[in-house]
Amino acid sequence: TDTLVLINLHDNGVGMSAHQINFSEKGIDNMKIRARKIGGTLEFFSTSKGTRVTLTLSATHILNSSRKH
C-alpha cells in the first residue's frame, strides 16, 4: 500500500454552501484540476462553523515526480 500525504487547511468562518463549492467561479475548479495533475485529490468540507480543504497525495507519486527534476 502507498503512503498518503494529507494536507488539511481549515478556518472557523461561516462556511460555504454546497452550491458555492460545486458551482463556484473557476477558482475551486482550477484548484481541483491542479491537484489531479499532481496525482492528488482536493476535497471541501463545510459547516456553519467553517470550511476544511483536504489535499491528498500519493507519497510514491511525489517521490517519483521529484526524481524526474
Side-chain angles (χ1 to χ4, degrees), residues 10-49:
H10 56 88
D11 67 19
N12 59 353
V14 297
M16 298 168 56
S17 71
H19 179 76
Q20 289 171 306
I21 292 171
N22 293 320
F23 300 102
S24 71
E25 294 294 322
K26 297 291 181 201
I28 291 175
D29 289 338
N30 285 339
M31 291 179 356
K32 289 179 178 180
I33 289 167
R34 288 177 180 174
R36 282 193 299 272
K37 283 184 177 183
I38 60 171
T41 60
L42 189 70
E43 297 176 288
F44 288 80
F45 306 92
S46 192
T47 69
S48 61
K49 296 180 181 179

Side-chain angles (χ1 to χ4, degrees), residues 2 36-40 57-66:
D2 193 11
R36 282 193 299 272
K37 283 184 177 183
I38 60 171
L57 298 167
S58 157
T60 302
H61 183 82
I62 294 169
L63 291 172
N64 289 339
S65 294
S66 68

